[in-house]
Amino acid sequence: MNATPCIIKLSHISFAYPGSDVDVLNNLDLTLCQGEKIGLIAPNGSGKTTLFHTIMGLSQPRQGTIELLGKPMRTPKDFEAIRTQIGLLFQDADDQLFCPTVLDDVAFGPLNLGFSKEEAKNTALETIHELGLSGIRDSVTHRLSGGQKRLVALAAVLAMRPKALLLDEPTAGLDMDVKETLINILNSLDISMMIISHEFDFIHEVTHKIYSMENGKILTDEEVHVHQHEHVHRHGRHPHKH
Amino acid sequence: MLDESLAYKVSAVHRLEPRARIIASMFLSFGTALSHRFDILGLYFIVSAALVFTASLSWHEVWGRLKPLLWFVVMIWIFLPLSFEGEIIWQYGWVKVSFAGVRLCMEITLKSVTILLVFTALVATMTVATIGYGLHRLNFPEKLTFLLLMTYRYIYVIRDEYHRLLRAARFRGFVPKTNLHSYRTFAYLAGMLFVRASFRAQRVYRAMVCRGFRGRFRTLDVYRLNGIDYLFIILCTLCAGILLLFEYYRIFL
């Protein structure tokens, strides 16, 4: 019997920033399998972004093994070959959009993958169309609104047709409308993804499992009991019992 | 300047391919810079004015571009005629104005205004992205082209960061004055800006690496040279070439 193939498999990963004794990631294990959609809710500074960067080979762990698409990642060269198949959406879209126009930016990845100019342009146009961004195709990226920048950055990642997506706080600073658009887009995608967010509602809408992080380790579904409730009553801000 | 207002117009010049405009502006400006005769410089001036007219730029916009240059020219007019040796055409006490000095001033003024007009008409009418594209296609060193594009792209981000920091300082009662506290605050701001810019650079690079960047830039072909572009390049090159020959062989019109 064949188990569902794993796209990302981390075992016993530990990571500490240079000059620090504290392990941001501490003997961490994590798997993301085909078709899985995992949400990651955890406090600031718990190492979520570091985790993503470690998966992509941007940060070198102190110990542990990383397996991407079934292949062990040992050297930076191993990561180079596999990296383009996993799309990482950065927290700040300005970090990601550096080409002059939206079309240029979305085509940047496909061109790096070795597509011909014509193919790259077509792939980019297709992705731009799928995300409903055709209207701003030739716009200059730095003049876009925050929401548009985020969607263009997502288009840039999706244009590479990745096998998995890692989204680092994709909803930060977005208004309700863009958030709604983002939820629809993510739900229409048939690829594995892992999403870092602080917003429970959003995570709940787009993922099947919710994990958390504590002391540099992942806490899985069974250990996490995330819940949120809002209520209004006349006691206002004064201490009260339920 | 940063808003690229001249680039978003419609004219015959705007329809030209970026490469054609860069090549033409290069030949015309070199030709102008290498000429010394006023009749030839006059012709270059007429060509540059014609280009500005064809690019349908208003005099107001062109004047805005010329103003900074004119300050520089005024400085030259103050110092050169007085300090240059040669035939004296006007004297008041120890103040002597030389003919050679005045001639040189006129030459510099005419040349610089002409070159600036050529660049305003042909180069300033492109967005920085388009210029970058043109340079790239002309096999201009990749790193320099990229430096130009990245600088332009992130200068906004860094400007916003600077304003954010300054605003945060103002909200806490900071009023710039001529004292050590203000200087120190500005030094902190500048330092913080450098730190943030370098972190930003690192993140941008990482994002590029994640999208398969391995040190080589590839761009989409957005523009193509057509007959009119070739004609324009040939005309401008011929114009500069013939006028240079006139100058070199002392042919007079």
Side-chain angles (χ1 to χ4, degrees):
Chain A
M1 194 187 89
N2 255 347
T4 328
C6 279
I7 294 178
I8 296 168
K9 188 166 185 221
L10 305 184
S11 335
H12 312 299
I13 293 286
S14 293
F15 176 87
Y17 280 102
S20 159
D21 302 333
V22 186
D23 277 343
V24 186
L25 307 179
N26 180 13
N27 211 9
L28 174 145
D29 295 308
L30 170 76
T31 48
L32 177 73
C33 293
Q34 191 81 50
E36 266 189 322
K37 296 190 175 184
I38 299 174
L40 191 58
I41 298 187
N44 290 331
S46 54
K48 298 173 304 239
T49 303
T50 310
L51 172 66
F52 275 12
H53 285 196
T54 308
I55 294 173
M56 297 299 279
L58 300 172
S59 305
Q60 306 292 323
R62 200 163 53 73
Q63 65 161 49
T65 54
I66 304 173
E67 234 178 74
L68 299 180
L69 300 166
K71 294 186 191 103
M73 299 287 122
R74 294 198 187 91
T75 62
K77 269 232 149 6
D78 296 335
F79 279 105
E80 239 174 54
I82 280 298
R83 207 177 261 145
T84 49
Q85 301 185 46
I86 295 173
L88 170 61
L89 186 76
F90 279 61
Q91 239 176 59
D92 185 349
D94 266 321
D95 293 343
Q96 223 165 335
L97 306 177
F98 63 89
C99 294
T101 68
V102 170
L103 179 61
D104 283 327
D105 218 294
V106 179
F108 175 77
L111 282 171
N112 286 334
L113 288 181
F115 284 30
S116 75
K117 291 178 180 182
E118 204 56 40
E119 285 168 338
K121 191 177 174 188
N122 290 338
T123 313
L125 286 175
E126 205 177 296
T127 317
I128 288 173
H129 177 74
E130 279 164 13
L131 266 61
L133 300 168
S134 299
I136 53 166
R137 196 188 95 164
D138 296 316
S139 301
V140 180
T141 44
H142 63 77
R143 297 225 173 91
L144 301 176
S145 71
Q148 286 172 327
K149 276 185 191 169
R150 192 64 53 85
L151 293 179
V152 173
L154 182 62
V157 169
L158 288 177
M160 303 183 71
R161 307 284 178 245
K163 298 209 167 62
L165 270 183
L166 304 176
L167 310 178
D168 195 349
E169 303 212 15
T171 54
L174 298 187
D175 63 29
M176 284 313 288
D177 288 343
V178 186
K179 232 177 263 182
E180 204 62 46
T181 315
L182 194 62
I183 289 173
N184 292 336
I185 292 170
L186 293 180
N187 281 335
S188 71
L189 296 172
D190 189 25
I191 48 180
S192 320
M193 55 181 86
M194 196 158 164
I195 305 177
I196 293 175
S197 178
H198 284 296
E199 295 184 48
F200 179 74
D201 287 345
F202 170 75
I203 286 278
H204 187 68
E205 294 242 23
V206 291
T207 61
H208 312 139
K209 288 180 180 173
I210 298 175
Y211 289 0
S212 181
M213 270 181 89
E214 213 176 271
N215 304 323
K217 285 189 173 64
I218 296 277
L219 303 179
T220 51
D221 259 345
E222 304 82 58
E223 300 154 285
V224 184
H225 303 281
V226 189
H227 73 285
Q228 177 173 326
H229 65 260
E230 286 173 35
H231 59 275
V232 177
H233 51 63
R234 61 197 174 85
H235 293 297
R237 269 176 287 168
H238 300 291
H240 57 271
K241 275 186 176 172
H242 284 285
Chain B
M1 192 79 165
L2 278 178
D3 61 357
E4 304 179 317
S5 56
L6 303 188
Y8 299 102
K9 289 173 180 278
V10 183
S11 79
V13 169
H14 287 82
R15 276 192 292 275
L16 288 169
E17 216 264 3
R19 275 175 284 178
R21 289 199 250 171
I22 293 172
I23 294 173
S25 59
M26 218 174 62
F27 276 113
L28 287 175
S29 50
F30 270 111
T32 312
L34 292 173
S35 302
H36 299 287
R37 269 167 45 192
F38 280 104
D39 51 347
I40 289 181
L41 285 176
L43 281 176
Y44 274 118
F45 180 76
I46 292 171
V47 171
S48 69
L51 286 174
V52 169
F53 180 76
T54 321
S56 65
L57 305 177
S58 72
W59 286 111
H60 177 73
E61 286 161 333
V62 177
W63 175 244
R65 303 287 166 130
L66 283 178
K67 240 189 317 193
L69 171 75
L70 292 181
W71 283 116
F72 174 69
V73 167
V74 165
M75 297 297 280
I76 289 177
W77 275 96
I78 293 172
F79 292 109
L80 262 190
L82 298 179
S83 58
F84 224 73
E85 290 193 350
E87 187 193 334
I88 307 294
I89 48 169
W90 188 78
Q91 186 167 11
Y92 183 81
W94 55 271
V95 181
K96 293 172 191 164
V97 174
S98 73
F99 174 72
V102 172
R103 196 190 178 284
L104 191 64
C105 280
M106 283 170 68
E107 199 183 308
I108 292 174
T109 309
L110 198 55
K111 277 184 185 183
S112 45
V113 168
T114 305
I115 293 175
L116 199 75
L117 286 182
V118 167
F119 269 82
T120 309
L122 294 179
V123 180
T125 47
M126 291 188 269
T127 60
V128 174
T130 316
I131 298 173
Y133 169 82
L135 291 173
H136 186 75
R137 291 301 306 276
L138 286 171
N139 290 327
F140 197 71
E142 208 168 58
K143 288 206 169 92
L144 290 181
T145 314
F146 191 61
L147 202 62
L148 170 82
L149 289 176
M150 284 294 236
T151 308
Y152 181 69
R153 166 68 180 87
Y154 284 101
I155 211 153
Y156 284 91
V157 178
I158 292 172
R159 184 194 63 184
D160 287 349
E161 246 155 26
Y162 171 70
H163 285 308
R164 244 194 324 269
L165 289 170
L166 194 62
R167 216 164 31 232
R170 289 220 170 102
F171 284 157
R172 286 191 285 158
F174 173 66
V175 182
K177 288 195 189 105
T178 316
N179 57 22
L180 200 59
H181 172 66
S182 299
Y183 298 148
R184 192 181 293 131
T185 308
F186 275 113
Y188 286 161
L189 282 182
M192 191 50 91
L193 214 53
F194 276 122
V195 172
R196 290 197 182 189
S198 100
F199 277 125
R200 166 83 61 184
Q202 194 182 10
R203 291 201 303 271
V204 171
Y205 180 70
R206 286 179 157 197
M208 288 166 68
V209 164
C210 283
R211 287 203 278 155
F213 178 69
R214 290 181 196 182
R216 249 197 71 75
F217 281 98
R218 296 173 176 84
T219 47
L220 293 174
D221 283 331
V222 192
Y223 302 94
R224 283 191 208 295
L225 285 165
N226 60 26
I228 296 174
D229 297 315
Y230 284 115
L231 189 70
F232 183 70
I233 296 177
I234 291 168
L235 271 180
C236 291
T237 317
L238 269 184
C239 168
I242 290 173
L243 288 181
L244 262 185
L245 284 181
F246 278 14
E247 166 101 17
Y248 189 70
Y249 290 106
R250 300 180 181 285
I251 303 167
F252 289 91
L253 303 168

